[in-house]
Amino acid sequence: MTIEAGQPLAGQPTSARQAGPKRPLGGLGRAALGRAGRAALLATDRPPVPDALEPLVQAHRRHHPQADLGLLGRAYRLAEASHRGQKRKSGEPYITHPLAVTMILAQLGAGTTTLVASLLHDTVEDTELTLDQVSEGFGPEVAYLVDGVTKLEKVDFGAAAEAETFRKMLVATGDDVRVMVVKLADRLHNMRTIRHMKPASQVRIAKVTRDVLIPLAERLGIQVLKAELEDIVFATLHPEEYARARALVAGHEAEPDALLAPFARTLARQLAETGVAAEVTVRPRHLVSLHRVLLKRAAARGRDGRPQGAQPADFGRLLVVVEENADCYAVLGELHTCWTPLPGEFKDFVAAPKFNLYQSLHTAVALDGGAVVEVLVRTRRMHEVAETGVVALGDPKQPGAAAVGGGPSAAGASGAGAGAGSDELDRTDPARPGWLSRLLEWQQETPDPDAFWSALTADLAGDREITVVTETGETLQLRAGASCVDAAYLLGEETGHRCIGARVNGRLTALSTVLQDGDLLAVLTENGPRAAEPSGPAPEWLAHARTPAARLAIERWLAGHPTRLPVVRTGPSAGQPAPPAHRVAERGTAPVAVEGRPGAPVRLARCCTPVPPDEVSGFPIRGGAVAVHRTGCPAGERMRAAGRGVLEIHWQPGGTPASGYRVTLRAEALNRPRLLADLTAAISGEGVGIVSAEVEPPQELRVRHTYTVELPEPAVLPAVMRAMLRVSGVYDVSRPHAPEGGGAVRAPARAPESARAREAGNKDDPPAPGVRPSWGMHGRSAALTGHTSPSATRGPEG
């Protein structure tokens, strides 16, 4: 909707809020006497404001009947005197610009303080008037707003002046959202007169408006201002497409409306019959909105295989305005009962408002002829806020304003919607929205103007935000397309640095997973004392980070922690003796005794790495040797099925192979930096030597480490497995080829065994096609819960 002088905005209060019927003089109260006194003053020959302000005063009184007009008059006189002699590029006196900006704000319903600041917003920047003089004449509140929109000098900041000016405005907006409201109105009037600029300047200003100002207007919910800015930018940057869209609209308006208007009348009659008081109107689309619809039509193929053209229903939507929230759902019920609703087109922004306070019910129904009509349903208060956003909530610093969400006012005492502190909007802090808080946080960490500008435009590029709820009940507001990495850093930089994984809707998932609106999220962090340095992010996280705060935190960490190659230790370091509890047995004693074959060579199978007190079976192999497999090992079962005789064997107390007991252990973990180093350190810390280590490529940020270790004695094995499980990120430790029924919980299915693992087995054993699913120590991860399950103490054999 174009805002023009003297034209009230749709859905805004009009003369209905002005004085009611006259009463006898003796019955006038104090407020009525005040109004009568002001009316008498206006009737005198000395008007309180200059004639140039009369249209502005009329627009302002529609929203604020008791406004201080004398303050407006003083501000205008000072602005006119300060700008006297200055001209705009159009040749008009410069005072026409602050007057037009103030008229835009008056039509939006801004308070008197905002209008005074708007009249003076260019005086400090372009005239000899100082900020101290503004503060002395109109108070520190007006001076703060004027200072917030005053540009920084290029002489002082050079090419960085524009970026630093926006940084300054954002910081000021964090304390008073009206700073950005004044700036948006200022940009709207400048865009209306952009034709007087040079072509290069037109393109530059239009791009900045597109990339920064329009997204800010969207986030503040000022839709009427955003729509006009979009159309002017569209005409400036894409004149041919703009002309085609304009011609389509002109052709549609020249023909009688045979679809939307008749359907609006039918719906109004239907609602009247059911007793729902509603106002049904046709809401035309602005040109950019129509252009987007046409692009979708062109991309979709019709039944004949050709791109679809514009349909009559594409030029507008039906708007239904009711009185109460319950009436919204009553209208929805009638729509879906009398016409066919389209699946997937219903959106409830009444129960779940958008981040910019927008509330409405959206639906689409198919009419008898097959045409699809979109319908919006909202209350009058919702419509007011949907059109003008935070402006409809009033001046946030008004002392008599109703609170919204415990923050600034919902509306000033004299503003529209006064006393609405308990309505459906009382769930948001309009002066410090979540998106603005995030901008203010990361801009402090971005001193470089170019980096700040790039991050600002990237952050504002998202068309919408999503809401994610943590398993602890915390609500996170993220831009659409954000990943688990972004959510982790939104919870705090320390949480992000310690993040090792995520659980979305109850399932472990990769940190790169893109979150959807309404997801239930748990960020998994490494254990250990908070004072210890966290593992930190991997460089790959930058590819998954979508928010500037996350990217800046990751880049800062990586800059301070250059990549270090993990150091693999294969036993106790020099000067570090093995734990005293570990008694190293004499080497070279036969580990098992074979019934009926005394002195036969014994080979412990490398596929299942049996260790006392595992249940084992012996099979004769070439050369008279005996292969020892754990009971239930697939390789041993295949030898049994092939007819190899099973020999009775038992472990010999104190027996130890010449090369020691070698055991293969497999750790399932969430991938993170220095995981290999931490696992090898945990194994070596138990006095165990590492014979070999294999790390498989990560799959969705999950990784599998396989170690072959040499035990000083068999009793050390449970302690080694528990030490590995305590490493941050490790959620399961298992021994491949565990026996049937052994182990507490079955781990997820494993990938086929690698060639290296197959070669490690006995050469005489039949080749195995793959590795069976492993059996872990227990089902719950000590790394994620902070404690070890009692089943862990029983060892892998239960």
Side-chain angles (χ1 to χ4, degrees), residues 482-488 499-504 507-515 519 521-524 541 544 669-671 698-703 731:
S483 66
C484 297
V485 172
D486 299 301
C499 177
I500 57 175
R503 187 167 55 239
V504 177
R507 302 185 63 180
L508 283 175
T509 187
L511 288 175
S512 58
T513 300
V514 176
L515 297 170
D519 277 346
L521 171 72
V523 174
L524 310 177
W541 289 17
H544 312 317
L670 299 170
N671 193 27
Q699 298 291 332
E700 295 186 349
L701 295 186
R702 304 184 196 182
V703 70
Y731 58 83

Side-chain angles (χ1 to χ4, degrees), residues 329-355:
Y329 296 96
V331 172
L332 183 70
E334 290 299 320
L335 278 167
H336 288 186
T337 300
C338 301
W339 292 274
T340 303
L342 267 65
E345 294 295 327
F346 170 64
K347 298 179 179 66
D348 188 348
F349 297 119
V350 173
K354 288 186 177 182
F355 64 93

Side-chain angles (χ1 to χ4, degrees), residues 749-762:
R750 302 296 193 248
E753 187 178 19
S754 65
R756 185 182 303 176
R758 289 197 299 270
E759 293 172 359
N762 292 327

Side-chain angles (χ1 to χ4, degrees), residues 569-578 684-685 687-688:
R569 292 181 289 178
T570 59
S573 59
Q576 180 184 1
S684 299
V688 175

